[in-house]
Every structure is written in C-alpha cells, then in structure tokens.
Amino acid sequence: MTVIHTETYLTQDPVYNYNDNSAIFTVALSAVSIPCHIHRQENLNYLLENEVRSGDLVYLRGVFVTGGANDATFIKVQSIMLRTPLKIGKKRKMEDIKDENMSMESLSPPTSTPKPVAPSVSKHEDYLPVDLSFSDYYFMVSGQAYCLLDSCNSYQQVHGTSCKRNIQEKGHLLADTLRQLHRVYNDLMVNGMNRLQVFNFVNTITIFIKTLKEIKEAFPDDILPAKVTINSKVPLPTLIYNAHFNEYTIN
C-alpha cells in the first residue's frame, strides 16, 4: 500500500451505496482512470453536500491499494476537498460547474492530468428508452457484458495482448456496477421514485455502458459475433427514462 496525495479530476460521478454507506468514483492519474472507494461518513456527507461530479477538480488523500481482492487496484479515500471554484451562497448547478471549469481550463490547464470531458446525463440523444421489465433489462445489459468479455478472452488466448490486466480490472468494475445497478433499482422499488435514486440509476448504467465501450475499443472492430452490437446510446427502462427527463413529476 502507498499513501497518495494528489490534485486531480473526477472522471466519473460518485455512485452511492446506501446499504453500506459507501461511494465509488474514478479519478484521472496520468492517462489512467483509477477507481476510488469512500466509506467515511464525513467524506460521503461532503460529496453529497457539495454535489461533487465528474469533471470537478479535487484534492485527494488516501491509500493506493494493489493486489487486493480479485487483484483489483483502487484508492481508499481518507479525505477529499473540492478545488473547483464555487459561487458562495449559491447551490451548485451543472451549468455553473461547466462555466467555472471552462474558465479554469482557459487560465491554467493542467499538464500532467488533462481535464477529461464530463459525461452528459441530460441529453435525450445519449439515451434510449427500452420497454422491458427490470429482469429482462438486467439480463440484456449483463448479457452484453458477458458476450464482450468472452469474445475478448477468446481473442487474447489466440493472439495474446498486453492489455489483459487492464481488461480484467474493467471486468471487475462491470461486475461491481451490475451489482450496484440491482441495489439502486431495489431502493427505487422500496422507497419510491425520487430524483437522487433516478440519477443514481442513470449514472450507474452510464458508467457500465461507457466501460463496455472502452473494452471494445481495445480490440478489433469485429471482436463481437456477427450481427451482435453494443448500441452507442445508453439504454434505460422507460419508467427511468421518463423520470430522468422529467416527463412526469417525481419527488
């Protein structure tokens, strides 16, 4: 384990797990996105109160863990502080963050850790409503992951590749994200539709599909079986899609 102190950008919105009071997100270290795990209540409160999101600049202190469970690599966060400038006395809004980040980028762009583009979670064209039960939906997205990983594994066995470890880590992230997706959906069913849980669901599946695309891009275009594709849009159950885009009122 190595203690790490760094100032860098989030490359993934925090995904909260209310069952065990934790959150995960990724940050940019050089050209690599590293998963971060948060369990301390004061840090979770800080993320929520300041609405920390992908693209925000943060100061991070934690323990860099390698060779842990499933040979995973991640940062166990001990403290986090937002460096993105805030307008005092105002609640943070996505438009404010975009304007502030653009100003920061024009004044003093980082050299060692380039600012990643924050993923959009508000454009209709980035998402695709699918009229499926959650069970069918879950098997659809998990089937995509299984098919892709199985195809990549077969390719590696025949051709060999230097990105095997990286793909394994992304495979672990896919499995964790699927479990989180199931938990978030269960929370929605228990607690009813609310904006935070809907945002959590959309953010979680967005991370999942983004990870699928990153894996696919590391291999030849024809890595998948004939006529099997991964849609460029993020699929959402119709109920979640309508709630996310405020096509009916939620709490």
Side-chain angles (χ1 to χ4, degrees):
M1 294 188 297
T2 302
V3 176
I4 185 170
H5 300 259
T6 186
E7 190 170 280
T8 186
Y9 289 89
L10 267 70
T11 55
Q12 170 197 315
D13 290 345
V15 176
Y16 300 95
N17 182 348
Y18 296 100
N19 292 327
D20 62 1
N21 281 338
S22 67
I24 61 171
F25 56 88
T26 60
V27 296
L29 290 183
S30 186
V32 180
S33 288
I34 300 294
C36 295
H37 297 184
I38 282 186
H39 294 278
R40 293 186 177 183
Q41 189 60 52
E42 62 270 24
N43 291 333
L44 292 170
N45 292 342
Y46 185 86
L47 293 180
L48 287 166
E49 290 170 3
N50 292 279
E51 299 181 10
V52 178
R53 296 187 178 99
S54 176
D56 284 344
L57 179 66
V58 296
Y59 170 76
L60 198 69
R61 182 170 67 87
V63 177
F64 194 75
V65 181
T66 58
N70 296 323
D71 202 29
T73 298
F74 63 93
I75 297 173
K76 184 177 181 181
V77 177
Q78 295 177 337
S79 64
I80 185 170
M81 182 179 296
L82 194 65
R83 294 300 198 194
T84 297
L86 301 181
K87 297 178 181 179
I88 299 175
K90 289 185 64 178
K91 185 176 180 181
R92 301 179 69 223
K93 296 183 182 297
M94 185 63 74
E95 293 76 12
D96 296 334
I97 296 170
K98 288 179 180 177
D99 292 340
E100 291 159 352
N101 282 343
M102 288 177 65
S103 299
M104 288 181 64
E105 189 175 30
S106 62
L107 291 173
S108 57
T111 56
S112 58
T113 54
K115 177 183 179 298
V117 178
S120 169
V121 291
S122 59
K123 295 181 180 178
H124 282 70
E125 61 266 25
D126 292 338
Y127 297 88
L128 177 70
V130 291
D131 192 15
L132 296 173
S133 67
F134 179 75
S135 177
D136 290 341
Y137 173 83
Y138 187 86
F139 280 108
M140 179 188 75
V141 295
S142 61
Q144 289 180 341
Y146 175 83
C147 181
L148 178 60
L149 291 174
D150 184 63
S151 298
C152 293
N153 183 58
S154 297
Y155 182 90
Q156 288 172 332
Q157 289 178 354
V158 174
H159 301 280
T161 176
S162 60
C163 63
K164 183 175 181 179
R165 177 183 173 87
N166 187 40
I167 298 303
Q168 287 177 333
E169 291 178 354
K170 289 185 181 297
H172 296 320
L173 176 60
L174 285 175
D176 289 342
T177 308
L178 272 177
R179 286 191 288 269
Q180 175 67 11
L181 188 71
H182 191 271
R183 286 193 291 264
V184 172
Y185 181 79
N186 283 341
D187 288 342
L188 275 170
M189 295 300 98
V190 172
N191 301 318
M193 301 289 284
N194 64 76
R195 294 191 185 280
L196 179 59
Q197 295 288 36
V198 168
F199 180 84
N200 244 351
F201 188 100
V202 174
N203 185 54
T204 303
I205 189 60
T206 300
I207 293 166
F208 181 85
I209 297 299
K210 178 184 176 183
T211 304
L212 282 183
K213 292 177 183 177
E214 289 174 350
I215 294 173
K216 186 176 182 298
E217 288 170 0
F219 290 85
D221 292 339
D222 60 352
I223 187 69
L224 291 173
K227 298 185 179 180
V228 174
T229 61
I230 296 177
N231 199 301
S232 60
K233 295 186 178 183
V234 178
L236 293 176
T238 303
L239 186 66
I240 302 295
Y241 181 93
N242 291 339
H244 181 60
F245 292 109
N246 298 318
E247 295 184 11
Y248 72 84
T249 303
I250 58 176
N251 296 325

